[in-house]
Amino acid sequence: MTAFLLRRLIQAAAVVLVMSLLVFLGVFAVGDPIEILISPEADQFERERAIKALGLDLPLWRQYLVFLGNALRGDLGRSFVFNEPALRLILDRMPATLELAVGATVAALIIGLPLGLYAGLKPNSPLSKGIMATSILGFSLPTFWVGLMLIMVFAVQLGWLPSTGRGETVTILGMRWSFLTRDGIAHLIMPALNLALFKISLVIRLTRAGVRETMLMDYVKFARAKGLSPARVTFVHVFKNILIPVVTVVGLEFGGTIAFSVVTESVFAWPGMGKLIIDSINVLDRPVMVAYLMMIVLLFITINLVVDITYSLLDPRVRLEGKS
Amino acid sequence: MSAPTLEVRNLKTHFFTRGGVVKAVDDVSFTVEAGKVLGLVGESGSGKTVTGFSILGLVDPPGRIAGGQILFKGRDLATLPEAEMRGLRGNRIAMIFQDPMMTLNPVLRIDTQMIETVQAHAKVSREEARQRARDALGQVGIPSPDERLKSYPHQFSGGMRQRVAIAIALLHKPDVIVADEPTTALDVTIQGQILAEAQKLCAQFGTALVWITHDLSVVAGLADDIAVMYAGKVVESGPVAQVLDAPLHPYTLGLIGSVPSRNHRGEPLRQIPGMTPSLLNLPAGCAFRSRCPRAEPGCAEPPPFAEYRPGQHARCIHPHQEAVAA
């Protein structure tokens, strides 16, 4: 296990290094921030002073090395726009996105697993067919449209739920969280549900497919031949076997949600990281873009590691020896 | 005389599919006494396994028992409510499956899979259940059972897994064990060990054993009685020595002739011509008629299941009653 973790850590470092280079080059190619940041009325002298202050006068490779050196000391640069450390800007908005992503993922599991299980166990019942048909809608309806409809129905028509912002927040460990207040939770419900819709459908379909496949296995029949109760057969013998694909996909989806829940955050004016990155791209705020993407790389590396470790807990045949 | 441990009477298990009714088991009867072994023999698709599942009440839709009785100590299992059936399953009636690589759940430890079986039928503590599981593993010849209990199935070889499955079947010292080709997937040497083990344990506990197989040599060595199945029907049954030495039904004779033997070295292997008919549209009358060398117009009528020699029945109108040289 230790050897495995060490190996993965070295791999992770290599991935981060390569990604930093790609991200840096990519962001450089997007456009020149000077045109946007400096007012057109500024004279030549002011322009040059600003370029020097932002470090944009250096050749690209020098800029990269400066960035790398600073990054090693935990400094991912200062935002051109806010004149604040990019990392702090991101971390400020991270709780908002995290609670949205966690809410959506938890909702996907709580709703998706039971429905998928039911649809898998009773594939011919009308309810199962209804569940599967609805899950197709979950896949195909565009997120922004569903978000707008949710607002129309629950905020505008019925007036049950608020439609924008995070509501009341509580500060814990220097970060603002809204899931600890009633008002905050009310604000969280709609965006989380909107984000969860696709995932619910995904979990339903994965679970159903897994159940259908596992139910045919000899070990399920053998478990029944042992005289076990149907509940024990389903929740111990079948369930543990279908969790492996579900964990993989939900893990990756969770990363994707944190990184790219831009649409939902925009529709519900949720002050998360997704909105920050869109705004930064619009004004070519390079340090924020780079810092953000580096954070996402780290996030995915961490999630993949957690998924691998979960595998080994779920399936004894997977051993984390680090040998290939 | 008291009722036999297991008596199957005119069992019919049919599958109601979209393409029609598949009569997987169609009029099967046999009796197994305590401590005796019945060999249920036939080709793939002859209904042996479905017969086994019917006894345990594990036939899944679209299949169901459409007729007949399964008398377990006089109680009819075919009409028993599911809850009561579950109380018998794994407790009084156990089953061993064909492929030991597939019967144990890969993600659960051996102790979990054994303890849950104990606790499903006996109100005992976990510790007590573990004790029984350990004893059962010891009984089937698994060395250091304490350590092995903590292992996962993939850490065992095929033969060892089948021993574990047998140990699970034996946990409650059942009255009936249905063994569905339990040695087919194993090496010959392991097969021999498992057979000897099964024979010993059944004699020891007075278990009635239904041994499903397509391997006549296994039946010859193990069984007391034999029932030969073809296309869902028992075509011949009787004491094993009598049936194998002097088969009445042409199909039984064909099966025996298909076993490669040293006596016919160098000659092409004998085989039964043709293939098993589709169960969806069986020919009227004797289902074996299209492959039978002795078929005659009278075979188009369903042949009766008649006793031609004491204890030896056959479903044929022109049985081999003359002595047969193997």
Side-chain angles (χ1 to χ4, degrees), chain A residues 15-192:
Chain A
V15 170
V16 170
L17 192 69
V18 172
M19 275 307 293
S20 72
L21 189 62
L22 289 177
V23 163
F24 206 82
L25 288 176
V27 166
F28 192 83
V30 170
D32 191 351
I34 297 163
E35 301 304 325
I36 294 178
L37 288 173
I38 300 171
S39 98
E41 278 106 64
D43 60 25
Q44 193 63 22
F45 181 66
E46 276 178 60
R47 265 180 80 93
E48 269 175 19
R49 206 182 48 185
I51 290 172
K52 212 171 173 70
L54 295 174
L56 296 171
D57 55 335
L58 300 171
L60 182 60
W61 64 272
R62 286 277 307 272
Q63 286 187 35
Y64 178 65
L65 286 183
V66 170
F67 161 76
L68 215 56
N70 289 337
L72 284 177
R73 278 179 274 121
D75 173 13
L76 289 173
R78 292 178 85 82
S79 161
F80 294 162
V81 179
F82 300 95
N83 199 25
E84 270 187 62
L87 197 59
R88 218 186 58 225
L89 275 176
I90 293 166
L91 288 180
D92 271 353
R93 284 162 178 77
M94 189 128 106
T97 298
L98 264 185
E99 58 189 14
L100 198 58
V102 170
T105 306
V106 169
L109 290 174
I110 288 178
I111 299 172
L113 280 176
L115 290 182
L117 208 56
Y118 181 86
L121 290 174
K122 297 201 178 354
N124 293 319
S125 84
L127 183 57
S128 300
K129 287 182 176 155
I131 291 172
M132 296 319 287
T134 317
S135 77
I136 294 176
L137 286 185
F139 268 120
S140 42
L141 291 179
T143 316
F144 76 89
W145 185 82
V146 175
L148 292 176
M149 286 300 124
L150 284 174
I151 291 177
M152 284 273 287
V153 174
F154 293 103
V156 179
Q157 304 279 343
L158 297 170
W160 290 353
L161 294 167
S163 64
T164 52
R166 293 181 71 186
E168 207 182 306
T169 55
V170 178
T171 305
I172 290 175
L173 299 172
M175 289 190 259
R176 288 164 54 231
W177 301 95
S178 41
F179 75 99
L180 293 169
T181 65
R182 264 184 84 97
D183 184 49
I185 287 184
H187 279 81
L188 187 60
I189 289 177
M190 274 207 293

Side-chain angles (χ1 to χ4, degrees), chain B residues 12-84:
Chain B
K12 291 180 203 284
T13 304
H14 296 176
F15 288 80
F16 299 86
T17 66
R18 263 185 222 170
V21 179
V22 178
K23 297 177 178 173
V25 175
D26 194 22
D27 199 0
V28 164
S29 304
F30 55 78
T31 305
V32 201
E33 308 277 352
K36 298 281 184 193
V37 181
L38 172 86
L40 195 58
V41 184
E43 287 169 276
S44 309
S46 60
K48 309 178 303 257
T49 301
V50 177
T51 305
F53 283 144
S54 302
I55 295 170
L56 273 97
L58 286 178
V59 179
D60 289 319
R64 63 179 163 84
I65 295 177
Q69 291 175 303
I70 301 166
L71 298 172
F72 168 68
K73 295 184 164 175
R75 272 163 97 191
D76 187 7
L77 302 183
T79 55
L80 209 61
E82 169 61 22
E84 281 180 56

